[in-house]
Amino acid sequence: MSAAEDRPYQPIEAYALLSNCEGCALVARDGAIDWACLERFDADPSFSRLLDRARGGHFTIRPEGRFETARQYLSRSNVLETTFTTETGFVTLHDFMVGAEGGADRPRLVRLITGISGRVAMVATYRPLAGFAESFAQLRIEGGRVTAPDCPGLVASVDLSPDGDRAVARFSVEALQEQSFALYLADTAAGLPDAPPDARALMEETRRAWALWTRDAAYVGPLAGELMRSALVLKGLTYEPTGAIVAAATTSLPEEIGGIRNWDYRFCWIRDACLSFYVLKKFGMSREAEAFFGFVSALCEREEGQLKPLYSIAGEADLSERKIEHFEGWRGSAPVQHGNEAAEQHQADAYGQVLDLLYLYDRLGGTLSDDMRRHGARLADISAAHWHEPDAGLWEPRKPEERYLHAAIMNWVALDRAIRLFGERPDWCRERERIVAFVNGEAVHRDGYYPQYLGTDAVDAALLIAPMVGFPVDEAVFARTVDVVIERLGHGHLVYRYRNDDGLPGHEGTFLLCAFWLVDALLWLGRDEEARTRFEALRALRNDVGLYAEEAAEDGSFLGNFPQAFSHLGFIHSALMLDLYEHGGRAAVQGTYADRSLRETDDRRAPRIAGGA
């Protein structure tokens, strides 16, 4: 194994996200791009060393000798700046992805190296891999241009030379000197320009585009910068051509090191997307949901209302799992997965999530199209007819279906929002009341808490959301549920989703969204000091550029796919809940998501929508 492949796996928290709202890349602190899907989020990767340090590709730019790094995103953008400090000087590396609107002549990813002081010897190593191929393709190197079949083409301002299956450039930069590298989707020299673009001008154009998007933010309080970073992550995980949003940028980062709980999250979960667009709207970004409504409308038309829990970002339903047997996985955590068979499960909560988002859109001043009104009523009909039946649950266990209380509550949401939007219908009203009687009656555990599903002793952190959606919980039962969650699922400020058998071997880390849900539940109960303490501890878990993974080990290190939309939407929501509580007390956090979105504070105005979907 060469010196480059002697490099150990980097911690998940060592990475930063690049995105152009079609594809993405992850950059490590040492200047290595170890993961990139440039064409679209769920495409086969061009760089995959994240999942196999020997067999995966990478694109690394770093100083030749010893160095230290500091990094940040440029203000209100997804342009990453890494500063290398060496014994001989300082250099910066700016990494960013470029939108596809300029066509094939535009690069997809640009790397700009600038000398700050002194003279620094640099090395760039380009080693692409075509998807999950078992061998590296033969590189064709012509000065500063490098191509290989089914790999992105590289155009650099410096010449590269062959080094086995790599192309390597060694060069020095002094103060004010710049060198640049640009990646294109073209895989032959005929499709590449002769020289890289004006990288600094392209970077400024990209930075301005991100900053323009951020100007609608409704919150100006003390956490504005941190919340904007999470909003930029959610925007960066949105696939602009369809409006779909991926759960995370990666596949197969494990929930347990060495375990098998490794899933592909580069798809659109209807639930995740609805929650993401809800928090973006509450934060003031009101335009993102329109394209998503079109995405959902097309799915409803095709599926006759019977929505699957997830789809590809273009709407395809076949997400069959395939194992990449020759990849060892991050830190030996096999298997590496492509696809996600959870798409075949029945998860009943999705209907409530869609109708809740429609209701929020309506309350903020939007006008629902006739198609969306028709589809919304159809989803409510499905909830009314089937809410009492077992389903797979939102956590996707690989075990028989049960009557999950979270699913019942979200079916109540579907019916409640349909009644508010479309008027009272006898079956909707009747079944809405039956759900309340079920959840607050026979489903309550004999010890006085809401269990995960009917007849079990197990507790589920998903039930923390019940009052957040306006469900009429029994307050004493809910308070007991919160205490049982802390007692059985808590580890300090962290929270597990559940601890009972889910049909899979091994264990998982704590789930960050659930920890934020606990903050919200405590505020709803008026336990604000406890909520603030937990929130501050969770806030401190972000990595150096403000990103969260899906899960955390008990020592706080990251686990699971990264960055995770769920975690970032939870952070935004809890922060805005705290803002409401601080300005209006317990009364300000009651009601539905839409109710809270319309309440203004000294630090936040209510978002408004002009037009319709």
Side-chain angles (χ1 to χ4, degrees), residues 513-535:
L513 177 61
C514 293
F516 287 116
W517 280 346
L518 180 55
V519 171
D520 301 343
L522 290 167
L523 286 174
W524 189 87
L525 288 169
R527 294 159 60 175
D528 53 306
E529 288 303 319
E530 190 177 350
R532 288 190 191 93
T533 299
R534 287 181 173 275
F535 178 80

Side-chain angles (χ1 to χ4, degrees), residues 245 269-279 292 296 350 353-355 357 569:
I245 187 168
W269 272 256
I270 299 299
R271 170 199 316 112
D272 301 36
C274 288
L275 289 170
S276 296
F277 290 128
Y278 160 70
V279 298
F292 179 68
V296 171
Q353 299 290 2
V354 172
L355 275 155
L357 187 61
L569 70 88

Side-chain angles (χ1 to χ4, degrees), residues 233-277:
V233 171
L234 295 178
K235 177 65 173 175
L237 294 176
T238 302
Y239 185 60
E240 188 126 338
T242 65
I245 187 168
V246 294
T250 58
T251 178
S252 305
L253 290 178
E255 297 173 2
E256 175 189 27
I257 296 174
I260 69 163
R261 295 167 181 255
N262 316 323
W263 314 113
D264 194 344
Y265 275 15
R266 300 171 301 147
F267 306 115
C268 179
W269 272 256
I270 299 299
R271 170 199 316 112
D272 301 36
C274 288
L275 289 170
S276 296
F277 290 128

